[in-house]
Amino acid sequence: MSVFQKIRDGLAATRNTLMSGVEKIFRSFVSIDENLFDELEELLISSDMGVETSMSVTETLRERVKTERVTDAEQIKKMLAEEISARLVSNGTEFCLPVPSVLLVVGVNGVGKTTTIGKLAKLYKDEGKSVLIAAADTFRAAAVDQLAIWCNRAGVGMIKHAENSDPAAVVFDAVQAAKARKTDILICDTAGRLHNKKNLMDELKKIFKIINTQYADAHKEVFLVLDATTGQNALQQAKIFKETAEITGIVLTKLDGTAKGGIIVSIHNELNVPVRYVTLGEGIEDIEPFDAVLFAKALSGN
């Protein structure tokens, strides 16, 4: 199956909800008026594009209809797809992880963080890179054991300490191991706590300090893992994490399990943080680098 087909299939529920809603709106309106734009705005919000993004899209459509003197409602449907695409593609820079790199993975419990780390490890290993995992989520029961299973599946090594150990100490040892082994990519798991931002911030600061002082030559990335099925809640999580850490990229999981994949447009538009990867299934290879053009085409049904 091609990448486009996988993304298209994964977005089927979102596309069907959005496009069937659009079709219904345009069947209901003979003329282009304010009520039509209000209905469109409500539809976009219900697809989890967020209030700010939905208002921005509909306002742009209003202006285009006026300046381009559009009288055909069908043409607005095409313009809607163009506006959604434009918001995605504008932030869709091609991403390539240099060597050596340290990748810090953050996110609340339950979003698929551990699974994502396993999938990323397999993806990078298949690209011919050597990968090492730091099991620095030492507080959640069985977190290290779960991560070990994914490391075995991906065929990569893991550095771990006992449960409730200092996460920064795990990262320190992992950095030393990665340097000694000349590892291409070190992926660091972190605790998925959000209820106490100060604790989270302090912990991440310690980890960042170790990486910066002990591995100054390595490229650094901080990936936030978000669950697409949680909709606007995912956007709120992203805003809090962005206040706490310098997020450089987003991994959106479970995109195939939601009818509200419009959240990805909202993330692009409101956070100015690029989506780097999406997961579209439960298998270890069900992860794809985010391609804004393919995503926009799949979302609009082209």
Side-chain angles (χ1 to χ4, degrees), residues 8-38:
R8 200 177 193 282
D9 290 352
L11 286 171
T14 298
R15 183 174 58 254
N16 292 341
T17 299
L18 183 60
M19 289 302 128
S20 64
V22 170
E23 291 289 347
K24 186 177 179 181
I25 289 171
F26 284 104
R27 280 199 305 269
S28 304
F29 287 88
V30 177
S31 60
I32 300 170
D33 58 22
E34 193 56 31
N35 289 331
L36 183 147
F37 290 114
D38 288 343

Side-chain angles (χ1 to χ4, degrees), residues 69-108:
R69 299 184 179 182
V70 175
T71 56
D72 182 6
E74 279 294 313
Q75 195 171 339
I76 300 180
K77 194 176 3 173
K78 181 185 174 187
M79 290 162 70
L80 174 63
E82 289 172 356
E83 290 305 320
I84 292 172
S85 298
R87 280 161 175 75
L88 285 170
V89 176
S90 65
N91 203 8
T93 54
E94 189 175 346
F95 177 69
C96 182
L97 203 57
V99 171
S101 282
V102 178
L103 176 55
L104 203 63
V105 182
V106 300
V108 301

